Structure formats: structure tokens, C-alpha cells
Amino acid sequence: MARSIRRRELLQAAAVAALLTGCTGAPGPKPAPSSSTDAPPSATFTFGTPAPPTGLDPAVTTDIESWRITRQVLEGLLTTDPDTGAPAPSLATKWSQSSDLLSYTFTLREGIRFHDGTAFTAAAVKANFDRWFAFTPALRAGRILPFTAVFKAHSDAAQLSVYKGCTVLSNTQVRIDLTQPLTSFLQALTTPAFAISSPAALAAGTADVEDQSAFGSKISRYATHPVGTGPFRFKEWTQDRVLVESSPDYWGPRGQIAQLSFVVFDQAQSRLQALVDGRIDGYDAVTLDNIETLVRKGFQVVRRDPFSVMYLGMNQAVPFLQNEKARLAIASAINRDAVIRPFFLEDTKPAAQFVPPKLNGFNQAGGFPSYDPEKAKRLLTEAGYHGEELKFCYPLDVTRLYLPSPEKVFAELSAQLIRVGLNIKPVPIEWSDGYLQQVTAPGDHALHLLGRYGTYADPDDFLSPLFGSKTGEFGFFDAPLFSKIERARGLPEGSDRTQAYQTINAQLAGSAPAVPIAFPISAVAVSARVDSYPTSPVLNETFNRVTLKTS
């Protein structure tokens, strides 16, 4: 009993430390003004990550660890305001929307050059949009690219695309035209996927030819050496490290860090030990097992607001899972609290829908079945289950911000499913062997563990990529649902849009194409040399805004 009380006190202390060191929602640190009299960056900084990037071309990946690095090197037209999360100026200084809601005109920042020395102009913006629109079926095969998730189609099916075109109005002005209103358009542009690359570097790196290999993925030469306008320029990518260095010509605050290394420690204990030993200055994906040691040794734990959903995926390409009662049986067999309490950070909440609580359309009542093992057994009988083997895929040797302990979560979930009578076949897959690609591509995987980390503050960012079209991950086709999601994303902000997303959430709960389990809390641990680390619920964390103690 005393040990249990002591553990709770430590967890509460960690929560207080998080509040004092920068919980999301508080203003981020104010970067030092950039001027000719400022001292140039001179510090080195090493940050531990739970997995390597899968590629450094943000337009063709949705991987968190890849985007963490490309955020330092590449910038988009817009970024997110650290206080409000609203779209804010970046490479565009201002913008306006036409009265018919179909055109957006952007005024660009002047005098900026890419890291390769070429000029950032309106023509460069157009070249990037033209590239994304022209992505070939071969490049898109087996995955949902960010452009596809937002705009639905490319130039080979232009009549189906929300995107119409990008027009150069002058050297410092572009207009982007849509075929129909898209309420989340400006929010979507804040994501790393729409960062502007040097057109010269894209051409030199044959960016649309994926003939290189990296950690189980095929990538292009450009994806091994990105070139943007960001606060850091790319230096090198080795087996376990990515090195970037402060860009001497950056238009904004350069901060204090001259050289920034991202080093992979795929085990939570190895990240913790590296911080304790002084080999790294901070790391992401703090796990519950780390908290006690971090608090005892006086490290800062900086928490983020929950902005992700961890779920159990079900693939309806497997015949048994085409039966709605079978999927609802699996949903009813899951005790979320028994999964969350032992493995997720304090304040992680059970999820009964796929839209996080702070977003428009969140249903207070949820809707997915609650834990009821007897109901699960009855539904399995009604579904005609006769012990068919169900392959359950889960990742090894990785920590994801939405899934801190995959092996332990799998063990608990599989035990719950076995108890109601399901025949589960474990399928462990190394994350570095292409786990993400294997469970999101068509195949015979029945169940799998995954999550969605939000990149902008709109329900469309969660629902469209997951359930807005047929995918290899879930293998279902539901035309009425797809149509409802398409309609909701074009509605103006207000009660009608809120109601539309609540209706979609209810429909998902009734058919259960996947089962939401948790809205995880994530956290960063940093050393005593860090004065402030700017957390962001959408991970818009650039290291020129990290402030270090000077004495």
C-alpha cells in the first residue's frame, strides 16, 4: 500500500513538473530576436527518438519521426500559432479568400533562398503544388498520400479532385483554386506534408522515383537529402542518426543550437539511460516506466495535450470481419481501462470515438460498445464464428506517441479477445521491417495495432484519411459513409458541421470498422541545460525555439 501511494505521489509530481515546464496551451517560449548583433548559434543538441525516419520527403510520408526532422528543414506557406493552434504566417505573410470560397491568394515572404541557394518565389510554390497534383498511380500505390487525403484525387482524375490549380500572380503572389469549398484548407496547409521544397533539389534528387531503400521503405534520392528554407539545413543521415545544422541565412530567429542530432533509441529504457548518462539532451515518448526515475533524478517532463487516437484495426478483406456482428463482438470484448492504466501516461482517457475531445464534432457520449464480454460471446455465436484463426499484427522494438508499449498492449488485448473465444494468431513485425506499410496495404492481416496522430485541428484530419475512402488497412467500402465525410468537410464552421461529424461518429460506432481505445497523453523529457522546450499538440516543435540555460 505504501509503495502504491508513493508511486501516485511521484506521478502527481511529474504532472506538476509538466505544468511548470510548458504544458500545451501555455504560451511557447519567445525566441530571441534575430539581428546582425545577435551571437550566432553555437550549442550542440542531441535528441533521442523512438524510431528512425522512413524518409525525408514529407509529401510522401505521414510518419511522425520523419516529419519531426523535416519540420526543422522545410517550411510551408503557413504554420500553427503556438498559443491558439490557428494558421499563422510562415513563407506566406498574409492571405485572403474569395467570396465564392474557392480561391485563396497568398502574399509570399521576400528575399528568401532555399538552402541550395536558389530563390524562393511564387514559381517555386507552384512547382511543388504541380508536383503533388501530378503524383502517379505507381507512386500512390498501397498508401494514402497526404495530398490525396486532403484533396481526394490527382491530375489523372482531375474531375474528382478538390484541388484545381495554382497560378503565379507575381513573383511574390500565388493563387490556389479549389473545385469546391474545403473548410479545413488553411489548417491542412500547416502540416509538414505541404512544406515547400527547392524545385532544383527535387529535380536533382529525382524526387518521384523511389529507387532507394531505408528501414523497409522505398524512397527517392531526394528523400535522403531534403532542401528547404527552414531554421536548420540537412547535413547527413546515417544508420542511427540524422544531423542538421543551423542555416546561416534563415529569415527568422536562429535560436541557440548550431548542430542538432536526432539519435534513435528504440527501447524506452535505453532512451532514459542515455539521458541519465548525459549522452542526449532530451527525448520523446516518455513511458509510464520512465516517470519514477525521471522525477527522482530531477529531469523535466513536458507533457502535450492529447491529440491522437490509438485503435485496434480490423481488415474486412478477411471474410469473417465483413460481418458487422463479428466486429461489434470484438469491440465489446475490449476493456479499455485494463489497457490504459498499466501502459499509458497519467490522464490518458479511454476513447469511444475517433475524434479527440477538443475538436468540432466530438460526441460526448461516444457511441462505441463498452466492455461487455457476455455480449461479445453472444455476438460471436450470432455471427457464426467457428474458431477461425485471426492474424493479429503488432510492432516490435518501437515506441509510438500513441502506442508507448506495443508488445504489452498486444498481450493485454489478445488475452481479452481469447477470453471471449477468439482464436488469435500473434504476428509480431519489426517496425523497421516496414510494419506501417504491411498493415496499411491490402493483405490478410485480420487485426492490427496502430494510431492516428493529428497534424491539424480539424476532425477531417482524423476521419478522411481513416474512413473517407477504401483503404488496404480496413478493406471496406461504404459509399454512404464516404459521402457523409465528403459533405462534412465542405460545410462552414457552425452547428451544421458539428452535427454532421457527430452523425458520422455515430455511424462509425454502429458499424465498427476499427475500435478506438485511447486518447494518449505524450511527453518529452529534457535535461537540466534546457530552460524551455516548446511542446505542441500537433508536434510543431522546431528546435530554434528551444532555449538553453546560459550559466
Side-chain angles (χ1 to χ4, degrees), residues 389-411:
E389 182 180 84
L390 298 176
K391 294 181 179 179
F392 190 161
C393 300
Y394 62 99
L396 298 176
D397 296 327
V398 72
T399 301
R400 307 303 285 170
L401 301 189
Y402 51 74
L403 187 57
S405 303
E407 296 94 338
K408 295 176 181 178
V409 170
F410 162 77

Side-chain angles (χ1 to χ4, degrees), residues 171-365:
N171 210 38
T172 58
Q173 273 200 330
V174 294
R175 187 185 71 240
I176 297 173
D177 298 310
L178 308 179
T179 60
Q180 61 192 63
L182 179 60
T183 303
S184 61
F185 173 68
L186 293 175
Q187 285 280 11
L189 290 190
T190 67
T191 70
F194 297 105
I196 305 299
S197 294
S198 159
L202 289 170
T206 54
D208 297 342
V209 179
E210 295 183 322
D211 55 1
Q212 311 289 306
S213 294
F215 302 102
S217 301
K218 284 291 186 182
I219 62 174
S220 69
R221 282 193 297 117
Y222 177 75
T224 68
H225 193 125
V227 179
T229 60
F232 295 89
R233 60 188 181 187
F234 178 84
K235 185 70 173 177
E236 65 179 7
W237 179 8
T238 58
Q239 180 67 21
D240 62 354
R241 182 184 78 151
V242 175
L243 174 65
V244 298
E245 59 186 11
S246 179
S247 173
D249 302 316
Y250 183 54
W251 59 268
R254 294 178 63 195
Q256 298 168 269
I257 298 171
Q259 286 203 326
L260 170 62
S261 296
F262 296 96
V263 180
V264 178
F265 296 89
D266 57 17
Q267 298 296 319
Q269 186 60 34
S270 66
R271 291 192 296 279
L272 172 63
Q273 194 60 49
L275 183 65
V276 170
D277 293 344
R279 288 177 286 138
I280 61 176
D281 300 290
Y283 71 87
D284 204 353
V286 171
T287 64
L288 194 58
D289 294 341
N290 295 168
I291 291 289
E292 185 168 338
T293 300
L294 288 168
V295 173
R296 285 183 186 279
K297 292 185 176 294
F299 290 105
Q300 301 174 71
V301 178
V302 192
R303 301 197 315 171
R304 302 183 185 94
D305 285 343
F307 203 63
S308 65
V309 58
M310 191 277 281
Y311 59 82
L312 174 70
M314 295 185 280
N315 180 15
Q316 293 183 40
V318 174
F320 174 66
L321 293 177
Q322 294 171 9
N323 190 316
E324 185 176 285
K325 289 185 176 181
R327 301 192 304 275
L328 291 172
I330 290 171
S332 301
I334 294 174
N335 182 345
R336 292 172 175 81
D337 286 336
V339 176
I340 293 170
R341 278 199 312 272
F343 310 126
F344 288 79
L345 293 184
E346 199 89 348
D347 295 329
T348 292
K349 302 300 184 186
Q353 59 194 291
F354 282 89
V355 174
K358 292 189 175 181
L359 291 184
N360 178 14
F362 176 78
N363 283 9
Q364 196 63 43

Side-chain angles (χ1 to χ4, degrees), residues 32-79:
S34 180
S35 74
S36 59
T37 60
D38 287 339
S42 59
T44 60
F45 197 91
T46 303
F47 194 79
T49 66
T54 59
L56 299 179
D57 179 354
V60 293
T61 183
T62 56
D63 175 63
I64 293 170
E65 297 307 328
S66 301
W67 280 1
R68 186 197 302 278
I69 295 165
T70 63
R71 283 185 189 275
Q72 317 306 319
V73 176
L74 297 137
E75 299 173 300
L77 296 179
L78 306 179
T79 186

Side-chain angles (χ1 to χ4, degrees), residues 372-385:
D372 189 339
E374 294 308 313
K375 178 183 177 181
K377 293 175 183 177
R378 185 177 71 252
L379 287 171
L380 285 177
T381 300
E382 293 174 5
Y385 181 63

